[in-house]
Amino acid sequence: FRNSAARGVFHAEEECDDKDEEVPDAEKAIMGVREVTTLLKIDNINHTAIAADYPMDWKNLRVEGKPGTTHELTFDMCNGFDQDYVYVSGYSKNCFARVNKEHPTSQQIFHFGTPPSDSNVNPGTAKDAQPHTLIFANIKSKDEKGMLWVGLENWGLIVKLNISDLLQKHQAKDSTDRDSTIEIKEEDYVAVYDVRVYGAGGTTPIPINTRPHGFCFDADFKYIYFTGKLTNTV
């Protein structure tokens, strides 16, 4: 969960003091934290490093025998929002998590329930949202600070959420339980982008779901480029 890892920089054990970031043994035991020794080659020199593996705790959404799947990990690199946390998507749990960098066992869960009412997504046939890619704005902007875009594969949507507002609403509503699941409701969608395929002149009775997998913004932050996993399209 280091910022340096996102920049492609790896620190060998002897080059990085992790003493202040150690997780207590009791906490490790509860969460199932696993430490493994790995070998890194930097400038053709082998280095030994310790990697800590932190499992995601999807709280009341856990099902025995059906572990969750994580896909994307992101943080705000341009606007300085929520710098002590990274955001991780839980594809099979219809969630994404806010994870503390210094104490990764501290995790706050956001859950997608039903699709936006004006999205023309049938909740009966597309119950699961399946969030995959998570992205913050790639430009410095006061208006975009705290805004997170999420690709919802099974709904064929890319949505925009105001994380600052969601956190404030949650803290105001439940000041005693900071670890409870935050349900994303209709009014929480700042914007909804339908990326399904429609036939010309309404010739497609049911829109074809492209299943938006990965996506990114252009350099000027005017367009979203996304891959349609199911339709072999960009």
Side-chain angles (χ1 to χ4, degrees), residues 12 23 32 37 46 60 75 104 123 125 152 157 168 185-186 218:
V23 178
T37 301
N46 290 330
N60 58 321
F75 57 91
T125 58
L152 305 175
L157 306 174
Q168 289 177 8
K185 300 180 179 179
E186 179 82 23
D218 69 312

Side-chain angles (χ1 to χ4, degrees), residues 72 74 131-137 148-153 157-160 193 195 211-218 221 223-228 234:
E72 196 85 358
T74 192
H132 189 280
T133 299
L134 310 172
I135 298 181
F136 285 99
L148 179 69
W149 281 257
V150 185
L152 305 175
E153 277 200 19
L157 306 174
I158 295 175
V159 300
K160 181 180 180 181
Y193 305 91
V195 295
R211 295 192 68 87
H213 195 65
F215 68 90
C216 64
F217 303 113
D218 69 312
F221 195 66
Y223 297 94
I224 296 175
Y225 289 83
F226 74 93
T227 56
V234 176

Side-chain angles (χ1 to χ4, degrees), residues 170-223:
H170 173 66
Q171 290 173 357
K173 180 180 179 181
D174 189 353
S175 60
T176 59
D177 185 4
R178 292 288 186 267
D179 289 329
S180 62
T181 300
I182 300 176
E183 292 291 334
I184 298 173
K185 300 180 179 179
E186 179 82 23
E187 61 269 20
D188 296 324
Y189 295 105
V190 177
V192 177
Y193 305 91
D194 188 345
V195 295
R196 294 168 294 175
V197 175
Y198 292 80
T203 56
T204 307
I206 302 175
I208 301 170
N209 186 4
T210 58
R211 295 192 68 87
H213 195 65
F215 68 90
C216 64
F217 303 113
D218 69 312
D220 296 323
F221 195 66
K222 292 182 178 180
Y223 297 94

Side-chain angles (χ1 to χ4, degrees), residues 1-6 52-54 56 73 75 86-88 99-105 107:
F1 291 109
R2 292 186 179 279
N3 290 2
S4 56
D53 187 358
Y54 293 89
M56 296 302 299
L73 184 151
F75 57 91
V86 294
Y87 288 76
V88 183
V99 181
N100 189 293
K101 291 180 185 177
E102 298 297 320
H103 304 284
T105 53
Q107 302 168 8

Side-chain angles (χ1 to χ4, degrees), residues 1-229:
F1 291 109
R2 292 186 179 279
N3 290 2
S4 56
R7 299 194 298 269
V9 180
F10 295 91
H11 295 280
E13 189 177 32
E14 61 269 24
E15 296 172 353
C16 181
D17 184 3
D18 288 333
K19 291 182 180 179
D20 294 334
E21 299 183 16
E22 290 182 357
V23 178
D25 290 339
E27 191 175 354
K28 289 180 183 179
I30 293 172
M31 288 293 296
V33 175
R34 178 183 61 177
E35 288 190 351
V36 295
T37 301
T38 186
L39 191 65
L40 300 176
K41 177 171 280 191
I42 305 173
D43 297 329
N44 291 321
I45 300 175
N46 290 330
H47 300 269
T48 299
I50 300 297
D53 187 358
Y54 293 89
M56 296 302 299
D57 179 23
W58 299 110
K59 304 186 187 305
N60 58 321
L61 299 167
R62 289 174 288 184
V63 177
E64 187 175 354
K66 294 182 179 180
T69 57
T70 56
H71 279 256
E72 196 85 358
L73 184 151
T74 192
F75 57 91
D76 185 1
M77 293 188 290
C78 294
N79 290 297
F81 170 73
D82 218 11
Q83 290 296 282
D84 292 332
Y85 293 85
V86 294
Y87 288 76
V88 183
S89 60
Y91 181 82
S92 63
K93 297 297 183 181
N94 298 317
C95 297
F96 64 89
R98 177 177 179 250
V99 181
N100 189 293
K101 291 180 185 177
E102 298 297 320
H103 304 284
T105 53
S106 175
Q107 302 168 8
Q108 197 166 31
I109 308 300
F110 298 78
H111 179 251
F112 291 95
T114 58
S117 58
D118 59 353
S119 64
N120 194 29
V121 175
N122 186 342
T125 58
K127 181 179 179 180
D128 297 332
Q130 296 178 350
H132 189 280
T133 299
L134 310 172
I135 298 181
F136 285 99
N138 64 339
I139 61 168
K140 192 169 184 60
S141 167
K142 182 179 178 180
D143 293 336
E144 300 301 339
K145 185 174 182 177
M147 299 293 180
L148 179 69
W149 281 257
V150 185
L152 305 175
E153 277 200 19
N154 202 39
W155 290 353
L157 306 174
I158 295 175
V159 300
K160 181 180 180 181
L161 303 170
N162 188 327
I163 300 299
S164 296
D165 284 356
L166 278 169
L167 292 173
Q168 289 177 8
K169 285 170 60 177
H170 173 66
Q171 290 173 357
K173 180 180 179 181
D174 189 353
S175 60
T176 59
D177 185 4
R178 292 288 186 267
D179 289 329
S180 62
T181 300
I182 300 176
E183 292 291 334
I184 298 173
K185 300 180 179 179
E186 179 82 23
E187 61 269 20
D188 296 324
Y189 295 105
V190 177
V192 177
Y193 305 91
D194 188 345
V195 295
R196 294 168 294 175
V197 175
Y198 292 80
T203 56
T204 307
I206 302 175
I208 301 170
N209 186 4
T210 58
R211 295 192 68 87
H213 195 65
F215 68 90
C216 64
F217 303 113
D218 69 312
D220 296 323
F221 195 66
K222 292 182 178 180
Y223 297 94
I224 296 175
Y225 289 83
F226 74 93
T227 56
K229 185 172 76 171

